[in-house]
Amino acid sequence: MNHNLKEIYTYAMEWTKEAGENIRASFPKTLNVTSKSNPNDLVTDIDKGTEQYFIEKIKGKYPDHRIMGEEGYGDEVTGLSGVVWIIDPIDGTMNFVHQQRNFAISVGIYVDGEGMIGLIYDVVHDELYHCIKGNGVLLNDKPIPELKESRVSEAVIALNALWVAPNKRIDHQMFIPLVQDVRGTRSYGSAAMEMVYVATGRIDAYLSPRLAPWDIAAGIILIKELGGEATDLRGNELDLLKENSLFVSKPGLHSEILKHYLKDGKW
Ligand code: 2AM
Ligand code: CA
């Protein structure tokens, strides 16, 4: 199994970089943009083509592996037994469409429900963040140091401004004390990139009331591998078969925020 996992890791990196190359090659072309659940929920032919590319590669080499992909070309995954690839072909599609940057390919590989391989590829910068469980996280070939403890008063956190304005999903007042007490807030518009920023220590935490499994599957593997914490906003374990709230953070800071800022939250 171990040997096979290394092979899967090698292919996953190769295919992710190739998919990224194809995305970079698409930049001069006119995008075909449509919307999904609402007018701001965008998808392009590149999102779809990239997911199909992964499915062809994975099914060609590993016909028994299952694939959960955002665009729905994979399998109907209702359980996590065996090897399951959880793929977001472009995380941050709005950034992809508007900016041609600040988006990523996200690939999490789970074996019997356990996160074993995580890859997030910042396509524009050709930066692949990757790990196989137990071997640390690398940025291309360079190891990323373990995360150090942090505190609210010195923390820079990522949070979408949507959640501190009245909205349908959560009581927007919940985040106000935290936003006031941290050193700064940021919003990057790609959950995968925001998790990479937590993994690399560029920010200290990232919070979101609603994300899909493919937004978080790879990032939580990278963050946990570096000693960070990844739970929902109540501090509970994440369930990759449904949508979750998300709270990823450096150690120490996670329990401080849970205890003092999230304990009465209406999530
Ligand atoms: P996407 O670009 O793959 O759709 C933006 O704040 C982040 O939230 C992105 O990672 C984006 O992923 C994700 N996102 C956007 N709309 C979403 C939705 N309806 N449900 C879950 N996640 C969503
Ligand atoms: Ca996507």
Side-chain angles (χ1 to χ4, degrees), residues 56-180:
E56 252 169 55
K57 293 286 184 186
I58 297 162
K59 293 286 181 189
K61 181 79 196 166
Y62 303 112
D64 59 325
H65 290 191
R66 291 180 302 144
I67 302 151
M68 188 198 301
E70 174 167 18
E71 308 313 334
Y73 297 105
D75 302 293
E76 188 82 38
V77 175
T78 54
L80 290 180
S81 59
V83 182
V84 180
W85 296 58
I86 305 181
I87 299 180
D88 193 340
I90 298 186
D91 184 75
T93 301
M94 195 186 293
N95 290 344
F96 174 64
V97 171
H98 285 254
Q99 311 176 329
Q100 289 83 54
R101 64 186 68 201
N102 300 321
F103 67 90
I105 298 173
S106 175
V107 179
I109 303 176
Y110 286 71
V111 180
D112 293 327
E114 195 179 352
M116 298 304 290
I117 294 168
L119 304 109
I120 294 179
Y121 188 32
D122 179 344
V123 170
V124 170
H125 295 110
D126 188 22
E127 289 177 338
L128 179 63
Y129 300 83
H130 57 98
C131 82
I132 182 164
K133 193 173 177 170
N135 284 275
V137 180
L138 303 175
L139 191 188
N140 293 335
D141 299 326
K142 203 170 142 226
I144 297 176
E146 285 267 312
L147 288 170
K148 295 201 178 78
E149 301 228 341
S150 174
R151 329 179 19 185
V152 166
S153 57
E154 292 168 356
V156 179
I157 64 165
L159 183 78
N160 191 322
L162 201 60
W163 311 119
V164 284
N167 67 84
K168 280 190 237 153
R169 184 151 285 269
I170 55 153
D171 174 0
H172 71 284
Q173 310 227 15
M174 286 299 160
F175 284 129
I176 293 175
L178 179 63
V179 166
Q180 286 172 327

